[in-house]
């Protein structure tokens, strides 16, 4: 984050969103959400990248998490900004 801030003349708002927060926001739930539930949601509603693979050459866990973070943040950005969670 420090390198990112040094790159810009005017420091942009940087948000740190906890995994539990973006997972709940993505699925619109108030309880804990498992990684497998997130993958299932993304496969059914956003893009199907195949079954979850956490290791090996065809690993796709990081891609699913990146998509989940982006969509979870977009679902909850007003709350994050309103509560100064950046």
């Amino acid at each position: 984050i420090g390198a990112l801030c040094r790159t810009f003349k005017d420091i942009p708002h940087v948000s740190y969103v906890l995994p539990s927060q973006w997972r709940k926001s993505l699925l619109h739930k108030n309880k804990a959400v498992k990684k497998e539930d997130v993958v299932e949601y993304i496969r059914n509603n956003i893009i199907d990248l195949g079954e979850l693979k956490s290791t090996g050459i065809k690993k796709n866990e990081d891609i699913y998490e990146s998509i989940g973070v982006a969509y979870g943040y977009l679902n909850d950005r007003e709350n994050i900004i309103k509560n100064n969670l950046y």
Side-chain angles (χ1 to χ4, degrees), residues 27-77:
L27 298 179
H28 303 287
K29 296 194 176 194
N30 290 325
K31 61 179 185 166
V33 177
K34 295 183 216 171
K35 186 182 302 184
E36 293 78 13
D37 295 334
V38 170
V39 170
E40 180 181 344
Y41 177 85
I42 292 171
R43 289 183 73 190
N44 293 332
N45 297 289
I46 302 170
I47 187 171
D48 187 354
L49 300 171
E51 292 184 28
L52 177 66
K53 294 182 179 83
S54 299
T55 59
I57 294 174
K58 296 188 179 191
K59 177 181 176 183
N60 59 9
E61 178 180 22
D62 294 340
I63 297 169
Y64 277 121
E65 285 208 356
S66 298
I67 293 168
V69 168
Y71 277 82
Y73 175 80
L74 291 174
N75 285 348
D76 202 31
R77 68 180 173 267

